[in-house]
Amino acid sequence: TNLVNAFNDLFGTTVPASGAASGNDLKALYDLVGDPLFDYLAFTTLLPKASSLYNKIKNDNTFGALFNSVFGASISAASLSAANRKALFDLVGGAAYDEAAVSAALPKVNSLYTALSGAGATDDQRAAFKALFNTTIPASLPLNPTELGAFFGVAATLGYAEGIFLAALVPTGDLLALLRDVSKTAELDAFNLLFDENLKTTGNVAGSVRKVLFGLTGDPLFNQANLLSALPRTGGLYTALKSNATALSIFNSLFADVLGTSISPFFALTAGPLAVLFGLGGDPSFIPSNFVALLTPANNLLTALQANTAVLGAFNALFGVNLPASGDINATQRAPLFGLVGNPVFNQTNF
């Protein structure tokens, strides 16, 4: 019965719950199932969703007016036209469609469009939006399917705030442009390596890439020049660790307190390892090969100290640290280890 009611509502028919259908109703049914692409299961799945959205548009004047404006529809309490019906089914047929999410996002979409298309937005903001979201900003509504995807993709994001988004557009667009600069091949390669992406110098920007870019520029400590400088060094460190199983194992052990998740040569980096790698590679004087060469001597020194209680106590007293006899060590405890083995004349036995 619910499906019959939904069908009648959307197609302007009077198909009965039982008994014979009228000629007009039969024609509507035959026209529908006669389409070679008709899929009964898909249709009956979407039918209640389309009917629910249709009724929301009819019964909520504010939402209805906004929907028609943004989607270029003319849906009202009157019978649906074929074009308007198609618009409803196209929308509810999306894999991620959720009526509550669409209802919540629609005013935000309209507000964002108004902001970007109005005099209050800068040309740089509009250019950044176009580059980042692979779309245009039309002079007037409605939005086409590509534009709808871009605007809803932004406005429906959890935690979205228009002011913050607009403020982030230019720095994020600038970062994208610099990574795509032909003179920044090393930086782009390192970006793709570290964030497991495949950003090209041209072409559309994937949603996952946008997420990384906005995540970077959204950090209160973000500095574009520092990031671009750090990328090749940090990428070089990651490459060196992945290609040296012994060094990687020692690194994971020595930095276990801050890694959270050990670095694997087979899986993408998570937030913890990324932060540790950038913390090292962010130093302008950092040289990946020199650092990797110190891992084994630092680990050997740690192992020797932890194997001798008296020597460990003397070390802690001399360097003002509290190196444990076992378990993870922290940054304060790592510093003297790397400082010692980094001295060209250091000799563990003599020490």
Short mmCIF file of all heavy atoms in Angstrom, two decimals, residues 236-261:
data_model
loop_
_atom_site.label_atom_id
_atom_site.label_comp_id
_atom_site.label_asym_id
_atom_site.label_seq_id
_atom_site.Cartn_x
_atom_site.Cartn_y
_atom_site.Cartn_z
N GLY A 236 62.32 12.10 1.87
CA GLY A 236 63.58 11.36 1.80
C GLY A 236 63.77 10.46 3.00
O GLY A 236 64.27 9.32 2.87
N LEU A 237 63.39 10.93 4.18
CA LEU A 237 63.49 10.10 5.39
C LEU A 237 62.58 8.89 5.29
O LEU A 237 62.99 7.76 5.60
CB LEU A 237 63.14 10.94 6.62
CG LEU A 237 63.03 10.18 7.94
CD1 LEU A 237 64.34 9.47 8.28
CD2 LEU A 237 62.62 11.13 9.07
N TYR A 238 61.36 9.11 4.86
CA TYR A 238 60.40 8.01 4.75
C TYR A 238 60.89 6.97 3.76
O TYR A 238 60.83 5.76 4.01
CB TYR A 238 59.04 8.57 4.33
CG TYR A 238 57.93 7.55 4.23
CD1 TYR A 238 57.78 6.55 5.19
CD2 TYR A 238 57.02 7.60 3.17
CE1 TYR A 238 56.75 5.63 5.09
CE2 TYR A 238 55.98 6.69 3.08
CZ TYR A 238 55.85 5.71 4.04
OH TYR A 238 54.83 4.79 3.96
N THR A 239 61.42 7.41 2.63
CA THR A 239 61.94 6.49 1.62
C THR A 239 63.11 5.69 2.17
O THR A 239 63.19 4.46 1.97
CB THR A 239 62.40 7.28 0.38
OG1 THR A 239 61.27 7.96 -0.20
CG2 THR A 239 63.01 6.36 -0.67
N ALA A 240 64.01 6.36 2.89
CA ALA A 240 65.18 5.68 3.45
C ALA A 240 64.77 4.63 4.48
O ALA A 240 65.34 3.53 4.53
CB ALA A 240 66.12 6.71 4.09
N LEU A 241 63.77 4.96 5.30
CA LEU A 241 63.31 4.01 6.32
C LEU A 241 62.62 2.81 5.69
O LEU A 241 62.82 1.66 6.11
CB LEU A 241 62.36 4.71 7.29
CG LEU A 241 62.99 5.73 8.24
CD1 LEU A 241 61.91 6.47 9.01
CD2 LEU A 241 63.96 5.05 9.21
N LYS A 242 61.79 3.06 4.67
CA LYS A 242 61.07 1.96 4.03
C LYS A 242 62.01 0.99 3.32
O LYS A 242 61.69 -0.20 3.19
CB LYS A 242 60.06 2.51 3.01
CG LYS A 242 58.85 3.17 3.63
CD LYS A 242 57.65 3.14 2.68
CE LYS A 242 57.95 3.78 1.36
NZ LYS A 242 56.76 3.68 0.45
N SER A 243 63.14 1.49 2.86
CA SER A 243 64.07 0.65 2.11
C SER A 243 65.09 -0.04 3.00
O SER A 243 65.95 -0.78 2.49
CB SER A 243 64.79 1.49 1.05
OG SER A 243 65.59 2.49 1.68
N ASN A 244 65.02 0.17 4.29
CA ASN A 244 65.99 -0.41 5.23
C ASN A 244 65.22 -0.99 6.40
O ASN A 244 64.84 -0.29 7.33
CB ASN A 244 66.97 0.66 5.69
CG ASN A 244 68.10 0.11 6.54
OD1 ASN A 244 67.91 -0.84 7.30
ND2 ASN A 244 69.27 0.72 6.44
N ALA A 245 64.97 -2.30 6.37
CA ALA A 245 64.14 -2.95 7.38
C ALA A 245 64.71 -2.79 8.78
O ALA A 245 63.96 -2.58 9.75
CB ALA A 245 63.99 -4.44 7.05
N THR A 246 66.04 -2.86 8.91
CA THR A 246 66.66 -2.73 10.24
C THR A 246 66.47 -1.33 10.78
O THR A 246 66.08 -1.14 11.94
CB THR A 246 68.16 -3.06 10.15
OG1 THR A 246 68.31 -4.41 9.70
CG2 THR A 246 68.81 -2.90 11.52
N ALA A 247 66.75 -0.35 9.94
CA ALA A 247 66.60 1.05 10.37
C ALA A 247 65.15 1.35 10.73
O ALA A 247 64.87 2.05 11.72
CB ALA A 247 67.07 1.99 9.27
N LEU A 248 64.20 0.82 9.95
CA LEU A 248 62.78 1.08 10.22
C LEU A 248 62.37 0.46 11.55
O LEU A 248 61.64 1.08 12.34
CB LEU A 248 61.93 0.51 9.08
CG LEU A 248 60.41 0.68 9.24
CD1 LEU A 248 60.05 2.16 9.38
CD2 LEU A 248 59.67 0.05 8.06
N SER A 249 62.83 -0.74 11.82
CA SER A 249 62.50 -1.40 13.08
C SER A 249 63.04 -0.61 14.27
O SER A 249 62.35 -0.42 15.28
CB SER A 249 63.07 -2.82 13.09
OG SER A 249 62.83 -3.45 14.33
N ILE A 250 64.27 -0.13 14.15
CA ILE A 250 64.87 0.65 15.23
C ILE A 250 64.13 1.98 15.40
O ILE A 250 63.86 2.41 16.53
CB ILE A 250 66.36 0.90 14.95
CG1 ILE A 250 67.14 -0.42 15.01
CG2 ILE A 250 66.95 1.91 15.94
CD1 ILE A 250 68.59 -0.30 14.57
N PHE A 251 63.81 2.62 14.29
CA PHE A 251 63.07 3.89 14.35
C PHE A 251 61.74 3.70 15.07
O PHE A 251 61.38 4.49 15.95
CB PHE A 251 62.83 4.41 12.93
CG PHE A 251 62.11 5.74 12.89
CD1 PHE A 251 62.82 6.93 12.95
CD2 PHE A 251 60.73 5.80 12.77
CE1 PHE A 251 62.16 8.15 12.92
CE2 PHE A 251 60.06 7.01 12.73
CZ PHE A 251 60.78 8.19 12.81
N ASN A 252 61.01 2.66 14.70
CA ASN A 252 59.72 2.39 15.35
C ASN A 252 59.89 2.16 16.84
O ASN A 252 59.02 2.55 17.64
CB ASN A 252 59.05 1.18 14.70
CG ASN A 252 58.43 1.48 13.35
OD1 ASN A 252 58.02 2.62 13.10
ND2 ASN A 252 58.36 0.49 12.48
N SER A 253 60.99 1.54 17.23
CA SER A 253 61.24 1.27 18.65
C SER A 253 61.65 2.54 19.40
O SER A 253 61.12 2.83 20.47
CB SER A 253 62.33 0.21 18.78
OG SER A 253 62.67 -0.01 20.13
N LEU A 254 62.57 3.30 18.82
CA LEU A 254 63.08 4.49 19.51
C LEU A 254 62.04 5.61 19.60
O LEU A 254 62.07 6.42 20.54
CB LEU A 254 64.32 5.02 18.79
CG LEU A 254 65.59 4.15 18.90
CD1 LEU A 254 66.71 4.75 18.06
CD2 LEU A 254 66.04 4.01 20.35
N PHE A 255 61.10 5.66 18.64
CA PHE A 255 60.10 6.72 18.62
C PHE A 255 58.69 6.20 18.93
O PHE A 255 57.70 6.87 18.64
CB PHE A 255 60.11 7.43 17.27
CG PHE A 255 61.34 8.26 17.03
CD1 PHE A 255 62.51 7.68 16.54
CD2 PHE A 255 61.34 9.61 17.31
CE1 PHE A 255 63.65 8.45 16.33
CE2 PHE A 255 62.48 10.39 17.11
CZ PHE A 255 63.64 9.81 16.61
N ALA A 256 58.64 5.05 19.58
CA ALA A 256 57.34 4.42 19.84
C ALA A 256 56.43 5.30 20.70
O ALA A 256 55.20 5.22 20.59
CB ALA A 256 57.54 3.07 20.52
N ASP A 257 57.01 6.15 21.53
CA ASP A 257 56.20 6.96 22.44
C ASP A 257 55.35 7.99 21.71
O ASP A 257 54.32 8.44 22.23
CB ASP A 257 57.08 7.66 23.47
CG ASP A 257 58.02 8.68 22.84
OD1 ASP A 257 58.72 8.31 21.88
OD2 ASP A 257 58.06 9.84 23.32
N VAL A 258 55.77 8.38 20.52
CA VAL A 258 55.03 9.42 19.78
C VAL A 258 54.44 8.92 18.46
O VAL A 258 53.59 9.60 17.87
CB VAL A 258 55.94 10.65 19.48
CG1 VAL A 258 56.16 11.46 20.74
CG2 VAL A 258 57.27 10.21 18.88
N LEU A 259 54.85 7.76 18.00
CA LEU A 259 54.34 7.26 16.73
C LEU A 259 52.88 6.86 16.81
O LEU A 259 52.11 7.10 15.88
CB LEU A 259 55.17 6.05 16.26
CG LEU A 259 56.52 6.34 15.63
CD1 LEU A 259 57.28 5.05 15.39
CD2 LEU A 259 56.35 7.10 14.33
N GLY A 260 52.49 6.25 17.89
CA GLY A 260 51.13 5.76 18.00
C GLY A 260 50.97 4.47 17.22
O GLY A 260 50.61 3.42 17.78
N THR A 261 51.23 4.50 15.93
CA THR A 261 51.20 3.32 15.07
C THR A 261 52.54 3.20 14.38
O THR A 261 53.05 4.18 13.82
CB THR A 261 50.10 3.46 13.99
OG1 THR A 261 48.84 3.66 14.63
CG2 THR A 261 50.04 2.21 13.12
#
